[in-house]
Amino acid sequence: AMGSQFGDWTMGREHASWTIFNKTSGNPVHSAQTQLTRNGEFFGVYRLSEKLDGEWREAVGLDGGAFYKANGVGGWRAPRNGWDVKTPKGGSSAAIDAVGTKLRDMPAGAAKTAFLFNTFDIPNVINYMAATALIDHDDQTFQNFFVFHDIDGTGLYSLHPWDLDETFGPNTLCWEQPMADLACMQDPLFDSVMAVPELEAMYWQRVRTLVETELADNLIEDRHAALIAAVGSDLIEKEATMWGRNAADTMIDIFNDAVDVRRWVFDNEPRMVPAQSDKPAVAISDVRPGPSGDDSHVVELFNAASGSPVDISGWTIEGISATIPSGTVILPGQIVVLTDSVALVRSSLGDKNIVVVEFAGNLDGAGDTLRLSTADGVVVDERSR
């Protein structure tokens, strides 16, 4: 799909936001700036992006199940008809409508907390919310996101972004807020997550990680400057002349100011948690056969820290060839379960509020040691089996 990005007068918001989501989500959406000509004459600078269609879903492993797009009527906020069913073709939105009804009407408490853990891919939701906060993507209260229901696999719902041109800018409702404030987003899923202390703690720990990495130094500004240089001042001048857009220098100044505001928001946010320890107290606490009765296995990770959640996004476990998905946070004194069959493990847990994540295969046959390492390759724990 080719878009004019006319909602973005910096020619950089969408580029920056997709870069962050692509680095953190595990489901990249490829896009690039391109020049459009008409009858051999310059017509504009556009952004060419992959559509979240069947080919993309198959490429990132979201094929099968059901795929929905919030249709502008309301998404989770609408009592009905808030979704376009992308697949299966001609399918019903009844299942996701029922989830929305529970998000809106079910009172906060133990039953609703269990519902969230048993219905949503928690690491995905935590990462999505944190990345959304970082880029100030409030243009998604009732549109501009997709939902995948992994009916044939985990059975869980996950969130996937779309249309990121109105981010990093004062045109948004949550411009000077961290987006954790319920009145700002007015999203029943976000509201429900932030009403659960355990999930809110996971959210703020993931926000801390993204602020430290993606808002660090001049990383985002340098990416934007490189994009503007790649497009070239000549094309940007033609764009400005034809469509009344900004000059390149003005684009850079506006964008850099917007990034500084997002840094200011989190620097002055009292709910932000301290930086994570360089030596987090996470251990491989158990390795046991999975509930399927075949060669499947369950691996448990335990956070022995007394008061600090630990963001283990991107950590690896040698021995099961697992990379832990973004948004996986272990609360103090709690466990995270890794398995090759999330649906079976979840059903065996009942209403226990435990994060369960999936890895692709069984225990490697080559060795008897599992080795847990951070995303930077620092070995945290080893366990023989």
Side-chain angles (χ1 to χ4, degrees), residues 230-278:
V231 173
S233 57
D234 289 347
L235 284 185
I236 293 176
E237 184 176 344
K238 289 180 180 180
E239 175 85 358
T241 299
M242 175 162 283
W243 299 110
R245 301 274 285 228
N246 293 317
D249 289 346
T250 303
M251 287 182 175
I252 288 175
D253 289 342
I254 293 173
F255 181 80
N256 290 354
D257 288 346
V259 176
D260 280 341
V261 169
R262 295 314 290 163
R263 289 196 183 101
W264 175 86
V265 164
F266 295 110
D267 285 345
N268 292 276
E269 171 51 55
R271 290 168 292 185
M272 282 288 286
V273 297
Q276 186 165 295
S277 170
D278 292 335

mmCIF file of all heavy atoms in Angstrom, residues 230-278:
data_model
loop_
_atom_site.group_PDB
_atom_site.id
_atom_site.type_symbol
_atom_site.label_atom_id
_atom_site.label_comp_id
_atom_site.label_asym_id
_atom_site.label_seq_id
_atom_site.Cartn_x
_atom_site.Cartn_y
_atom_site.Cartn_z
ATOM 1 N N ALA A 230 18.518 10.455 2.846
ATOM 2 C CA ALA A 230 18.320 9.468 1.786
ATOM 3 C C ALA A 230 17.285 9.947 0.765
ATOM 4 O O ALA A 230 17.433 9.724 -0.444
ATOM 5 C CB ALA A 230 17.897 8.135 2.394
ATOM 6 N N VAL A 231 16.208 10.583 1.242
ATOM 7 C CA VAL A 231 15.203 11.139 0.322
ATOM 8 C C VAL A 231 15.830 12.254 -0.506
ATOM 9 O O VAL A 231 15.607 12.346 -1.717
ATOM 10 C CB VAL A 231 13.982 11.647 1.104
ATOM 11 C CG1 VAL A 231 13.010 12.380 0.168
ATOM 12 C CG2 VAL A 231 13.271 10.489 1.799
ATOM 13 N N GLY A 232 16.608 13.103 0.150
ATOM 14 C CA GLY A 232 17.326 14.155 -0.560
ATOM 15 C C GLY A 232 16.598 15.485 -0.551
ATOM 16 O O GLY A 232 15.366 15.544 -0.660
ATOM 17 N N SER A 233 17.366 16.550 -0.398
ATOM 18 C CA SER A 233 16.779 17.892 -0.312
ATOM 19 C C SER A 233 16.057 18.285 -1.592
ATOM 20 O O SER A 233 15.071 19.040 -1.555
ATOM 21 C CB SER A 233 17.869 18.921 0.023
ATOM 22 O OG SER A 233 18.911 18.870 -0.945
ATOM 23 N N ASP A 234 16.516 17.770 -2.737
ATOM 24 C CA ASP A 234 15.868 18.132 -4.005
ATOM 25 C C ASP A 234 14.423 17.622 -4.042
ATOM 26 O O ASP A 234 13.501 18.365 -4.417
ATOM 27 C CB ASP A 234 16.641 17.563 -5.194
ATOM 28 C CG ASP A 234 17.974 18.261 -5.411
ATOM 29 O OD1 ASP A 234 18.174 19.335 -4.803
ATOM 30 O OD2 ASP A 234 18.805 17.731 -6.166
ATOM 31 N N LEU A 235 14.232 16.341 -3.658
ATOM 32 C CA LEU A 235 12.879 15.787 -3.670
ATOM 33 C C LEU A 235 12.007 16.440 -2.607
ATOM 34 O O LEU A 235 10.811 16.686 -2.839
ATOM 35 C CB LEU A 235 12.914 14.278 -3.448
ATOM 36 C CG LEU A 235 13.355 13.407 -4.631
ATOM 37 C CD1 LEU A 235 13.204 11.935 -4.284
ATOM 38 C CD2 LEU A 235 12.561 13.742 -5.880
ATOM 39 N N ILE A 236 12.574 16.727 -1.452
ATOM 40 C CA ILE A 236 11.793 17.363 -0.399
ATOM 41 C C ILE A 236 11.383 18.769 -0.824
ATOM 42 O O ILE A 236 10.266 19.220 -0.545
ATOM 43 C CB ILE A 236 12.593 17.390 0.917
ATOM 44 C CG1 ILE A 236 12.766 15.952 1.436
ATOM 45 C CG2 ILE A 236 11.889 18.239 1.973
ATOM 46 C CD1 ILE A 236 13.610 15.831 2.672
ATOM 47 N N GLU A 237 12.272 19.454 -1.547
ATOM 48 C CA GLU A 237 11.911 20.785 -2.055
ATOM 49 C C GLU A 237 10.785 20.694 -3.076
ATOM 50 O O GLU A 237 9.851 21.510 -3.081
ATOM 51 C CB GLU A 237 13.139 21.457 -2.675
ATOM 52 C CG GLU A 237 12.888 22.886 -3.134
ATOM 53 C CD GLU A 237 14.129 23.568 -3.659
ATOM 54 O OE1 GLU A 237 15.250 23.081 -3.400
ATOM 55 O OE2 GLU A 237 13.987 24.610 -4.339
ATOM 56 N N LYS A 238 10.842 19.667 -3.937
ATOM 57 C CA LYS A 238 9.756 19.471 -4.902
ATOM 58 C C LYS A 238 8.447 19.161 -4.178
ATOM 59 O O LYS A 238 7.375 19.646 -4.554
ATOM 60 C CB LYS A 238 10.097 18.322 -5.858
ATOM 61 C CG LYS A 238 11.196 18.634 -6.857
ATOM 62 C CD LYS A 238 11.449 17.430 -7.758
ATOM 63 C CE LYS A 238 12.540 17.720 -8.780
ATOM 64 N NZ LYS A 238 12.792 16.549 -9.654
ATOM 65 N N GLU A 239 8.533 18.333 -3.135
ATOM 66 C CA GLU A 239 7.353 17.998 -2.336
ATOM 67 C C GLU A 239 6.770 19.257 -1.698
ATOM 68 O O GLU A 239 5.547 19.466 -1.687
ATOM 69 C CB GLU A 239 7.752 16.977 -1.256
ATOM 70 C CG GLU A 239 6.669 16.622 -0.278
ATOM 71 C CD GLU A 239 5.733 15.526 -0.756
ATOM 72 O OE1 GLU A 239 5.899 15.048 -1.900
ATOM 73 O OE2 GLU A 239 4.827 15.153 0.015
ATOM 74 N N ALA A 240 7.639 20.106 -1.153
ATOM 75 C CA ALA A 240 7.180 21.337 -0.506
ATOM 76 C C ALA A 240 6.526 22.283 -1.503
ATOM 77 O O ALA A 240 5.503 22.915 -1.213
ATOM 78 C CB ALA A 240 8.360 22.021 0.179
ATOM 79 N N THR A 241 7.098 22.366 -2.686
ATOM 80 C CA THR A 241 6.546 23.262 -3.707
ATOM 81 C C THR A 241 5.188 22.773 -4.197
ATOM 82 O O THR A 241 4.236 23.555 -4.348
ATOM 83 C CB THR A 241 7.525 23.359 -4.892
ATOM 84 O OG1 THR A 241 8.767 23.887 -4.432
ATOM 85 C CG2 THR A 241 6.956 24.259 -5.980
ATOM 86 N N MET A 242 5.065 21.461 -4.425
ATOM 87 C CA MET A 242 3.824 20.929 -4.989
ATOM 88 C C MET A 242 2.706 20.847 -3.962
ATOM 89 O O MET A 242 1.544 21.137 -4.283
ATOM 90 C CB MET A 242 4.081 19.549 -5.599
ATOM 91 C CG MET A 242 2.821 18.849 -6.106
ATOM 92 S SD MET A 242 3.163 17.497 -7.249
ATOM 93 C CE MET A 242 3.546 18.395 -8.756
ATOM 94 N N TRP A 243 3.043 20.479 -2.727
ATOM 95 C CA TRP A 243 2.000 20.174 -1.754
ATOM 96 C C TRP A 243 2.022 21.073 -0.515
ATOM 97 O O TRP A 243 1.280 20.842 0.425
ATOM 98 C CB TRP A 243 2.112 18.706 -1.307
ATOM 99 C CG TRP A 243 1.948 17.751 -2.449
ATOM 100 C CD1 TRP A 243 2.896 16.967 -3.003
ATOM 101 C CD2 TRP A 243 0.749 17.499 -3.190
ATOM 102 N NE1 TRP A 243 2.386 16.233 -4.038
ATOM 103 C CE2 TRP A 243 1.059 16.541 -4.175
ATOM 104 C CE3 TRP A 243 -0.556 17.999 -3.130
ATOM 105 C CZ2 TRP A 243 0.115 16.067 -5.082
ATOM 106 C CZ3 TRP A 243 -1.493 17.509 -4.028
ATOM 107 C CH2 TRP A 243 -1.161 16.556 -4.983
ATOM 108 N N GLY A 244 2.876 22.099 -0.520
ATOM 109 C CA GLY A 244 2.898 23.021 0.608
ATOM 110 C C GLY A 244 3.486 22.432 1.863
ATOM 111 O O GLY A 244 3.117 22.817 2.977
ATOM 112 N N ARG A 245 4.420 21.487 1.701
ATOM 113 C CA ARG A 245 5.024 20.821 2.854
ATOM 114 C C ARG A 245 6.195 21.628 3.406
ATOM 115 O O ARG A 245 6.599 22.655 2.849
ATOM 116 C CB ARG A 245 5.504 19.426 2.452
ATOM 117 C CG ARG A 245 4.411 18.519 1.906
ATOM 118 C CD ARG A 245 3.710 17.832 3.022
ATOM 119 N NE ARG A 245 4.553 16.788 3.551
ATOM 120 C CZ ARG A 245 4.166 15.557 3.781
ATOM 121 N NH1 ARG A 245 2.935 15.217 3.530
ATOM 122 N NH2 ARG A 245 4.985 14.658 4.275
ATOM 123 N N ASN A 246 6.777 21.114 4.510
ATOM 124 C CA ASN A 246 7.916 21.777 5.134
ATOM 125 C C ASN A 246 9.208 21.524 4.373
ATOM 126 O O ASN A 246 9.349 20.515 3.675
ATOM 127 C CB ASN A 246 8.101 21.257 6.570
ATOM 128 C CG ASN A 246 6.957 21.655 7.474
ATOM 129 O OD1 ASN A 246 6.497 22.775 7.444
ATOM 130 N ND2 ASN A 246 6.496 20.706 8.280
ATOM 131 N N ALA A 247 10.164 22.432 4.564
ATOM 132 C CA ALA A 247 11.518 22.196 4.088
ATOM 133 C C ALA A 247 12.188 21.155 4.972
ATOM 134 O O ALA A 247 11.741 20.872 6.094
ATOM 135 C CB ALA A 247 12.318 23.494 4.094
ATOM 136 N N ALA A 248 13.293 20.581 4.496
ATOM 137 C CA ALA A 248 13.962 19.490 5.220
ATOM 138 C C ALA A 248 14.396 19.920 6.615
ATOM 139 O O ALA A 248 14.203 19.177 7.591
ATOM 140 C CB ALA A 248 15.161 18.998 4.406
ATOM 141 N N ASP A 249 14.982 21.104 6.745
ATOM 142 C CA ASP A 249 15.450 21.567 8.053
ATOM 143 C C ASP A 249 14.287 21.707 9.032
ATOM 144 O O ASP A 249 14.414 21.371 10.216
ATOM 145 C CB ASP A 249 16.185 22.902 7.926
ATOM 146 C CG ASP A 249 17.544 22.745 7.245
ATOM 147 O OD1 ASP A 249 18.010 21.593 7.125
ATOM 148 O OD2 ASP A 249 18.127 23.772 6.831
ATOM 149 N N THR A 250 13.156 22.206 8.543
ATOM 150 C CA THR A 250 11.979 22.367 9.397
ATOM 151 C C THR A 250 11.441 21.006 9.828
ATOM 152 O O THR A 250 11.037 20.810 10.983
ATOM 153 C CB THR A 250 10.893 23.158 8.673
ATOM 154 O OG1 THR A 250 11.420 24.413 8.266
ATOM 155 C CG2 THR A 250 9.685 23.393 9.576
ATOM 156 N N MET A 251 11.422 20.060 8.891
ATOM 157 C CA MET A 251 10.991 18.699 9.238
ATOM 158 C C MET A 251 11.823 18.137 10.381
ATOM 159 O O MET A 251 11.293 17.555 11.333
ATOM 160 C CB MET A 251 11.119 17.772 8.015
ATOM 161 C CG MET A 251 10.090 17.984 6.930
ATOM 162 S SD MET A 251 10.338 16.772 5.603
ATOM 163 C CE MET A 251 8.928 17.148 4.551
ATOM 164 N N ILE A 252 13.141 18.298 10.294
ATOM 165 C CA ILE A 252 14.039 17.759 11.316
ATOM 166 C C ILE A 252 13.795 18.448 12.655
ATOM 167 O O ILE A 252 13.726 17.796 13.697
ATOM 168 C CB ILE A 252 15.501 17.915 10.863
ATOM 169 C CG1 ILE A 252 15.795 16.935 9.723
ATOM 170 C CG2 ILE A 252 16.459 17.673 12.034
ATOM 171 C CD1 ILE A 252 17.166 17.082 9.104
ATOM 172 N N ASP A 253 13.641 19.767 12.644
ATOM 173 C CA ASP A 253 13.430 20.506 13.898
ATOM 174 C C ASP A 253 12.134 20.094 14.584
ATOM 175 O O ASP A 253 12.100 19.875 15.813
ATOM 176 C CB ASP A 253 13.408 22.015 13.624
ATOM 177 C CG ASP A 253 14.781 22.560 13.271
ATOM 178 O OD1 ASP A 253 15.780 21.877 13.569
ATOM 179 O OD2 ASP A 253 14.850 23.663 12.691
ATOM 180 N N ILE A 254 11.042 19.975 13.813
ATOM 181 C CA ILE A 254 9.750 19.603 14.383
ATOM 182 C C ILE A 254 9.821 18.196 14.978
ATOM 183 O O ILE A 254 9.349 17.940 16.091
ATOM 184 C CB ILE A 254 8.634 19.675 13.319
ATOM 185 C CG1 ILE A 254 8.410 21.125 12.885
ATOM 186 C CG2 ILE A 254 7.333 19.080 13.857
ATOM 187 C CD1 ILE A 254 7.445 21.272 11.724
ATOM 188 N N PHE A 255 10.430 17.288 14.235
ATOM 189 C CA PHE A 255 10.510 15.906 14.702
ATOM 190 C C PHE A 255 11.367 15.809 15.966
ATOM 191 O O PHE A 255 10.992 15.142 16.936
ATOM 192 C CB PHE A 255 11.092 15.011 13.603
ATOM 193 C CG PHE A 255 11.181 13.567 13.981
ATOM 194 C CD1 PHE A 255 10.070 12.749 13.912
ATOM 195 C CD2 PHE A 255 12.379 13.022 14.432
ATOM 196 C CE1 PHE A 255 10.146 11.405 14.280
ATOM 197 C CE2 PHE A 255 12.467 11.687 14.794
ATOM 198 C CZ PHE A 255 11.338 10.880 14.721
ATOM 199 N N ASN A 256 12.524 16.462 15.974
ATOM 200 C CA ASN A 256 13.410 16.392 17.138
ATOM 201 C C ASN A 256 12.743 16.966 18.383
ATOM 202 O O ASN A 256 12.907 16.437 19.488
ATOM 203 C CB ASN A 256 14.714 17.129 16.855
ATOM 204 C CG ASN A 256 15.586 16.396 15.839
ATOM 205 O OD1 ASN A 256 15.265 15.288 15.429
ATOM 206 N ND2 ASN A 256 16.676 17.019 15.443
ATOM 207 N N ASP A 257 11.984 18.059 18.207
ATOM 208 C CA ASP A 257 11.260 18.635 19.343
ATOM 209 C C ASP A 257 10.239 17.636 19.894
ATOM 210 O O ASP A 257 10.045 17.529 21.114
ATOM 211 C CB ASP A 257 10.558 19.924 18.927
ATOM 212 C CG ASP A 257 11.531 21.075 18.710
ATOM 213 O OD1 ASP A 257 12.694 20.964 19.137
ATOM 214 O OD2 ASP A 257 11.119 22.079 18.090
ATOM 215 N N ALA A 258 9.568 16.901 18.995
ATOM 216 C CA ALA A 258 8.564 15.931 19.422
ATOM 217 C C ALA A 258 9.192 14.791 20.218
ATOM 218 O O ALA A 258 8.644 14.338 21.234
ATOM 219 C CB ALA A 258 7.823 15.374 18.205
ATOM 220 N N VAL A 259 10.344 14.312 19.777
ATOM 221 C CA VAL A 259 11.040 13.245 20.503
ATOM 222 C C VAL A 259 11.462 13.732 21.883
ATOM 223 O O VAL A 259 11.354 13.004 22.880
ATOM 224 C CB VAL A 259 12.249 12.737 19.701
ATOM 225 C CG1 VAL A 259 13.037 11.699 20.512
ATOM 226 C CG2 VAL A 259 11.795 12.128 18.380
ATOM 227 N N ASP A 260 11.929 14.974 21.953
ATOM 228 C CA ASP A 260 12.323 15.542 23.253
ATOM 229 C C ASP A 260 11.139 15.597 24.217
ATOM 230 O O ASP A 260 11.317 15.385 25.432
ATOM 231 C CB ASP A 260 12.898 16.950 23.064
ATOM 232 C CG ASP A 260 14.349 16.918 22.610
ATOM 233 O OD1 ASP A 260 15.000 15.879 22.789
ATOM 234 O OD2 ASP A 260 14.828 17.933 22.073
ATOM 235 N N VAL A 261 9.948 15.876 23.708
ATOM 236 C CA VAL A 261 8.768 15.904 24.573
ATOM 237 C C VAL A 261 8.490 14.518 25.143
ATOM 238 O O VAL A 261 8.173 14.372 26.329
ATOM 239 C CB VAL A 261 7.539 16.443 23.814
ATOM 240 C CG1 VAL A 261 6.269 16.215 24.620
ATOM 241 C CG2 VAL A 261 7.709 17.922 23.513
ATOM 242 N N ARG A 262 8.624 13.481 24.316
ATOM 243 C CA ARG A 262 8.395 12.128 24.828
ATOM 244 C C ARG A 262 9.426 11.784 25.909
ATOM 245 O O ARG A 262 9.095 11.147 26.908
ATOM 246 C CB ARG A 262 8.451 11.089 23.702
ATOM 247 C CG ARG A 262 7.352 11.214 22.666
ATOM 248 C CD ARG A 262 5.986 11.397 23.278
ATOM 249 N NE ARG A 262 5.472 10.218 23.961
ATOM 250 C CZ ARG A 262 4.473 10.237 24.813
ATOM 251 N NH1 ARG A 262 3.889 11.378 25.139
ATOM 252 N NH2 ARG A 262 4.035 9.117 25.379
ATOM 253 N N ARG A 263 10.674 12.209 25.719
ATOM 254 C CA ARG A 263 11.676 11.981 26.769
ATOM 255 C C ARG A 263 11.283 12.720 28.038
ATOM 256 O O ARG A 263 11.392 12.173 29.147
ATOM 257 C CB ARG A 263 13.048 12.464 26.292
ATOM 258 C CG ARG A 263 13.688 11.618 25.211
ATOM 259 C CD ARG A 263 15.172 11.926 25.078
ATOM 260 N NE ARG A 263 15.755 11.143 23.991
ATOM 261 C CZ ARG A 263 16.025 11.607 22.777
ATOM 262 N NH1 ARG A 263 15.768 12.877 22.501
ATOM 263 N NH2 ARG A 263 16.541 10.831 21.855
ATOM 264 N N TRP A 264 10.832 13.949 27.886
ATOM 265 C CA TRP A 264 10.435 14.756 29.048
ATOM 266 C C TRP A 264 9.293 14.078 29.801
ATOM 267 O O TRP A 264 9.288 14.061 31.040
ATOM 268 C CB TRP A 264 10.012 16.142 28.584
ATOM 269 C CG TRP A 264 9.471 17.003 29.684
ATOM 270 C CD1 TRP A 264 10.160 17.797 30.549
ATOM 271 C CD2 TRP A 264 8.087 17.126 30.062
ATOM 272 N NE1 TRP A 264 9.311 18.414 31.436
ATOM 273 C CE2 TRP A 264 8.026 18.019 31.163
ATOM 274 C CE3 TRP A 264 6.898 16.576 29.571
ATOM 275 C CZ2 TRP A 264 6.828 18.369 31.770
ATOM 276 C CZ3 TRP A 264 5.707 16.920 30.183
ATOM 277 C CH2 TRP A 264 5.674 17.801 31.274
ATOM 278 N N VAL A 265 8.335 13.511 29.069
ATOM 279 C CA VAL A 265 7.185 12.856 29.697
ATOM 280 C C VAL A 265 7.646 11.755 30.643
ATOM 281 O O VAL A 265 7.205 11.671 31.799
ATOM 282 C CB VAL A 265 6.236 12.287 28.613
ATOM 283 C CG1 VAL A 265 5.258 11.289 29.228
ATOM 284 C CG2 VAL A 265 5.478 13.411 27.922
ATOM 285 N N PHE A 266 8.547 10.905 30.174
ATOM 286 C CA PHE A 266 8.959 9.769 30.998
ATOM 287 C C PHE A 266 9.978 10.171 32.060
ATOM 288 O O PHE A 266 10.022 9.575 33.140
ATOM 289 C CB PHE A 266 9.485 8.641 30.109
ATOM 290 C CG PHE A 266 8.418 8.063 29.214
ATOM 291 C CD1 PHE A 266 8.434 8.274 27.846
ATOM 292 C CD2 PHE A 266 7.367 7.341 29.759
ATOM 293 C CE1 PHE A 266 7.432 7.760 27.024
ATOM 294 C CE2 PHE A 266 6.358 6.814 28.953
ATOM 295 C CZ PHE A 266 6.396 7.038 27.586
ATOM 296 N N ASP A 267 10.788 11.175 31.777
ATOM 297 C CA ASP A 267 11.719 11.669 32.794
ATOM 298 C C ASP A 267 10.980 12.250 33.998
ATOM 299 O O ASP A 267 11.506 12.247 35.120
ATOM 300 C CB ASP A 267 12.640 12.743 32.204
ATOM 301 C CG ASP A 267 13.712 12.156 31.300
ATOM 302 O OD1 ASP A 267 13.926 10.933 31.350
ATOM 303 O OD2 ASP A 267 14.321 12.934 30.534
ATOM 304 N N ASN A 268 9.773 12.751 33.762
ATOM 305 C CA ASN A 268 9.005 13.399 34.819
ATOM 306 C C ASN A 268 7.804 12.578 35.278
ATOM 307 O O ASN A 268 6.901 13.104 35.929
ATOM 308 C CB ASN A 268 8.531 14.779 34.346
ATOM 309 C CG ASN A 268 9.669 15.759 34.177
ATOM 310 O OD1 ASN A 268 10.098 16.400 35.130
ATOM 311 N ND2 ASN A 268 10.190 15.862 32.960
ATOM 312 N N GLU A 269 7.810 11.302 34.945
ATOM 313 C CA GLU A 269 6.702 10.422 35.304
ATOM 314 C C GLU A 269 7.007 9.730 36.634
ATOM 315 O O GLU A 269 7.932 8.909 36.713
ATOM 316 C CB GLU A 269 6.483 9.389 34.193
ATOM 317 C CG GLU A 269 5.500 8.282 34.528
ATOM 318 C CD GLU A 269 4.188 8.800 35.046
ATOM 319 O OE1 GLU A 269 3.555 9.630 34.348
ATOM 320 O OE2 GLU A 269 3.787 8.377 36.154
ATOM 321 N N PRO A 270 6.257 10.009 37.699
ATOM 322 C CA PRO A 270 6.561 9.420 39.009
ATOM 323 C C PRO A 270 6.346 7.916 39.078
ATOM 324 O O PRO A 270 6.874 7.260 39.989
ATOM 325 C CB PRO A 270 5.604 10.162 39.954
ATOM 326 C CG PRO A 270 4.493 10.653 39.082
ATOM 327 C CD PRO A 270 5.126 10.958 37.759
ATOM 328 N N ARG A 271 5.575 7.343 38.138
ATOM 329 C CA ARG A 271 5.332 5.897 38.173
ATOM 330 C C ARG A 271 6.432 5.088 37.497
ATOM 331 O O ARG A 271 6.413 3.848 37.545
ATOM 332 C CB ARG A 271 3.984 5.588 37.529
ATOM 333 C CG ARG A 271 2.795 6.048 38.353
ATOM 334 C CD ARG A 271 1.497 5.995 37.572
ATOM 335 N NE ARG A 271 1.486 6.996 36.500
ATOM 336 C CZ ARG A 271 0.452 7.251 35.714
ATOM 337 N NH1 ARG A 271 -0.678 6.570 35.883
ATOM 338 N NH2 ARG A 271 0.519 8.168 34.767
ATOM 339 N N MET A 272 7.374 5.759 36.854
ATOM 340 C CA MET A 272 8.476 5.036 36.227
ATOM 341 C C MET A 272 9.284 4.285 37.275
ATOM 342 O O MET A 272 9.584 4.816 38.343
ATOM 343 C CB MET A 272 9.382 6.007 35.466
ATOM 344 C CG MET A 272 8.806 6.438 34.125
ATOM 345 S SD MET A 272 8.843 5.103 32.906
ATOM 346 C CE MET A 272 10.582 5.061 32.513
ATOM 347 N N VAL A 273 9.642 3.044 36.959
ATOM 348 C CA VAL A 273 10.393 2.202 37.892
ATOM 349 C C VAL A 273 11.889 2.415 37.697
ATOM 350 O O VAL A 273 12.324 2.930 36.666
ATOM 351 C CB VAL A 273 10.026 0.717 37.679
ATOM 352 C CG1 VAL A 273 8.562 0.480 37.979
ATOM 353 C CG2 VAL A 273 10.369 0.277 36.250
ATOM 354 N N PRO A 274 12.707 2.035 38.692
ATOM 355 C CA PRO A 274 14.161 2.179 38.545
ATOM 356 C C PRO A 274 14.710 1.293 37.432
ATOM 357 O O PRO A 274 14.058 0.345 36.977
ATOM 358 C CB PRO A 274 14.701 1.734 39.910
ATOM 359 C CG PRO A 274 13.539 1.814 40.842
ATOM 360 C CD PRO A 274 12.323 1.544 40.022
ATOM 361 N N ALA A 275 15.927 1.603 37.022
ATOM 362 C CA ALA A 275 16.594 0.784 36.019
ATOM 363 C C ALA A 275 16.773 -0.640 36.534
ATOM 364 O O ALA A 275 16.988 -0.867 37.726
ATOM 365 C CB ALA A 275 17.947 1.387 35.667
ATOM 366 N N GLN A 276 16.688 -1.587 35.635
ATOM 367 C CA GLN A 276 16.818 -2.995 35.988
ATOM 368 C C GLN A 276 18.259 -3.318 36.356
ATOM 369 O O GLN A 276 19.210 -2.769 35.796
ATOM 370 C CB GLN A 276 16.371 -3.845 34.794
ATOM 371 C CG GLN A 276 16.300 -5.330 35.037
ATOM 372 C CD GLN A 276 15.511 -6.016 33.935
ATOM 373 O OE1 GLN A 276 14.313 -5.788 33.776
ATOM 374 N NE2 GLN A 276 16.187 -6.855 33.171
ATOM 375 N N SER A 277 18.450 -4.231 37.297
ATOM 376 C CA SER A 277 19.785 -4.642 37.725
ATOM 377 C C SER A 277 20.554 -5.275 36.563
ATOM 378 O O SER A 277 19.980 -5.944 35.700
ATOM 379 C CB SER A 277 19.681 -5.641 38.878
ATOM 380 O OG SER A 277 20.932 -6.230 39.152
ATOM 381 N N ASP A 278 21.879 -5.037 36.555
ATOM 382 C CA ASP A 278 22.730 -5.681 35.550
ATOM 383 C C ASP A 278 22.854 -7.187 35.780
ATOM 384 O O ASP A 278 23.239 -7.927 34.881
ATOM 385 C CB ASP A 278 24.129 -5.057 35.571
ATOM 386 C CG ASP A 278 24.127 -3.613 35.092
ATOM 387 O OD1 ASP A 278 23.211 -3.262 34.331
ATOM 388 O OD2 ASP A 278 25.027 -2.852 35.494
#
